[in-house]
Amino acid sequence: MTVAEHAKRLIALERYKPSNVDADPELETKCSWYVADVALAAGNPDLLHLNANAQITKMRRLKDAYKLVSLSEGQVAAGGGCLVILGWQNPRSESPGHVCIVVPGSMQLSKKWGKEAPLVANAGWDVFYGRPASFAFGPEKVQALTCFLWLEKA
């Protein structure tokens, strides 16, 4: 099974959907669980039991395992079957960041971002597969996004 197939299969699970968000606006979303589970399905246990900020920190530290790539390079790599993770690390470490999986497809022009965005699978307030990353990250976060390519199966 490919990374994209794992991402599509897993995103449908109830486990990644926030429960009763309307009643609890402080409810944690499940992005880091989802990214860790997709990575594990692809053969990578590095990200288990970490929140989004910690996952991003770990990928930055493990330079032999992850390469920082541009958004367009990440989109191409995802199309080639590689595990590509897009993330925003919250500068306030006590507050949540966000991570998602880049999936195969073509970059799409985002009116919100004013530039092209890769397609992603996202488990957050909105859970989806194959929409532009601008649906997962607001325009204020674009400059701080990091795109990681897992090198083992690249």
Side-chain angles (χ1 to χ4, degrees):
M1 197 176 262
T2 68
V3 173
E5 290 168 334
H6 288 302
K8 191 176 254 186
R9 175 182 58 83
L10 290 169
I11 200 72
L13 299 179
E14 196 64 33
R15 142 182 185 90
Y16 307 111
K17 294 176 176 44
S19 56
N20 203 5
V21 174
D22 293 331
D24 185 2
E26 298 299 316
L27 183 70
E28 285 186 26
T29 60
K30 315 295 192 306
C31 67
S32 59
W33 295 6
Y34 175 68
V35 165
D37 288 349
V38 172
L40 184 62
N44 178 343
D46 293 344
L47 306 176
L48 290 171
H49 312 296
L50 300 171
N51 67 28
N53 287 335
Q55 287 176 336
I56 293 166
T57 296
K58 187 166 189 176
M59 289 185 286
R60 276 199 176 116
R61 285 189 190 140
L62 296 176
K63 295 182 189 302
D64 291 340
Y66 300 92
K67 177 182 177 185
L68 275 171
V69 296
S70 70
L71 298 178
S72 58
E73 290 170 326
Q75 185 69 80
V76 169
C82 297
L83 174 61
V84 181
I85 299 165
L86 184 59
W88 173 75
Q89 189 166 30
N90 197 317
R92 295 184 345 209
S93 60
E94 71 282 356
S95 298
H98 188 60
V99 288
C100 58
I101 302 290
V102 179
V103 299
S106 298
M107 299 275 287
Q108 292 187 6
L109 183 61
S110 164
K111 290 181 183 178
K112 286 188 222 177
W113 284 9
K115 68 181 209 172
E116 289 190 323
L119 301 183
V120 299
N122 183 69
W125 296 111
D126 194 10
V127 178
F128 60 83
Y129 179 95
R131 288 168 59 192
S134 55
F135 285 87
F137 301 96
E140 72 283 357
K141 295 183 172 99
V142 175
Q143 295 305 315
L145 289 178
T146 49
C147 193
F148 297 94
L149 168 63
W150 184 43
L151 295 173
E152 185 168 320
K153 301 221 174 149

